[in-house]
Amino acid sequence: MRNGSTYTEIRTFPIAIVSYDEKPGIQAIGNTAPDLRPVPGTHPTIQRDHAKRYGTVTLMAGIDLLTGQVHALVKDRHRSREFIEFLKILDRAYPTETAIKIILNNHSAHISQETRTWLATQPERRFAFVFTPKHGSWLNLIEGFFSKAARSVLRHIRVNSKHELKQRIIEFINDLNRDLRRSR
């Protein structure tokens, strides 16, 4: 009781809201021969020989809707264990008292027994999932980030290995986050 009246103590906790999704099937493509520069009167654009395919990778990314920071992981696959690895990245990125709300779709890795088992080991209220409606992933703001990445980095990229592709994607994200910190 305080001043003769009853009250309920309300405790507030910091919250991070992260828009998350995967972009699978990013192809690691290399050239079989060097590009040919444009030659006036012969061919006005860069000419490329056949492509060599090294395989695909998956970009798992979440954008913090309050700060704009992008958290990312690039792997060969996107199963429950890779999703849990991404959750661990988020766990390290935010103070322990911060509740992390994640907007995501109903992909099997997000609702699997392996994921639920890992979440059960986390402090209460640390992670909360908000699922987008089926066929409504376009509602998730991370899709805009994937579109930007596809237009600015992934469209015509040529690499010598899947490893190089992974490095260049992470480098792109690190540059974005660095520019974001400078603009604050």
Side-chain angles (χ1 to χ4, degrees):
M1 293 187 54
R2 182 179 215 170
N3 297 335
S5 64
T6 61
Y7 71 96
T8 303
E9 181 179 335
I10 299 174
R11 294 181 61 197
T12 59
F13 298 95
I15 297 174
I17 302 171
V18 176
S19 172
Y20 170 85
D21 205 358
E22 301 93 5
K23 183 168 183 59
I26 302 171
Q27 292 193 35
I29 299 173
N31 290 336
T32 56
D35 291 343
L36 297 173
R37 307 307 305 167
V39 176
T42 306
H43 52 88
T45 60
I46 293 176
Q47 301 290 307
R48 284 199 165 147
D49 204 353
H50 298 290
K52 180 175 182 178
R53 300 185 188 284
Y54 298 106
T56 62
V57 299
T58 296
L59 169 59
M60 292 167 273
I63 186 166
D64 185 311
L65 299 182
L66 302 175
T67 66
Q69 174 152 2
V70 177
H71 304 279
L73 181 63
V74 182
K75 291 290 191 173
D76 291 340
R77 300 177 70 181
H78 63 288
R79 301 165 297 180
S80 297
R81 68 181 56 151
E82 287 84 12
F83 179 60
I84 291 168
E85 190 175 341
F86 179 83
L87 294 176
K88 289 176 181 178
I89 289 171
L90 291 180
D91 190 43
R92 288 188 301 270
Y94 295 99
T96 55
E97 68 275 3
T98 300
I100 303 170
K101 310 288 184 190
I102 305 171
I103 302 166
L104 68 172
N105 61 21
N106 282 301
H107 185 278
S108 60
H110 308 158
I111 57 175
S112 71
Q113 184 61 47
E114 187 177 351
T115 299
R116 289 191 311 244
T117 299
W118 184 83
L119 288 169
T121 67
Q122 301 308 298
E124 189 177 354
R125 295 189 196 96
R126 178 61 168 170
F127 289 96
F129 292 173
V130 177
F131 293 103
T132 57
K134 287 189 187 290
H135 308 294
S137 65
W138 58 272
L139 295 168
N140 202 338
L141 293 177
I142 192 66
E143 296 298 337
F145 169 76
F146 288 153
S147 176
K148 176 181 180 155
R151 286 187 322 269
S152 59
V153 174
L154 302 175
R155 179 169 287 156
H156 300 292
I157 192 170
R158 292 293 190 252
V159 294
N160 293 315
S161 66
K162 282 183 12 177
H163 178 74
E164 182 184 345
L165 177 61
K166 290 176 185 181
Q167 286 180 314
R168 292 189 47 193
I169 292 170
I170 293 299
E171 184 180 307
F172 164 71
I173 292 167
N174 288 341
D175 288 347
L176 284 176
N177 286 335
R178 206 173 8 263
D179 290 345
L180 181 66
R181 284 190 293 275
R182 277 189 234 143
S183 67
R184 287 184 191 164

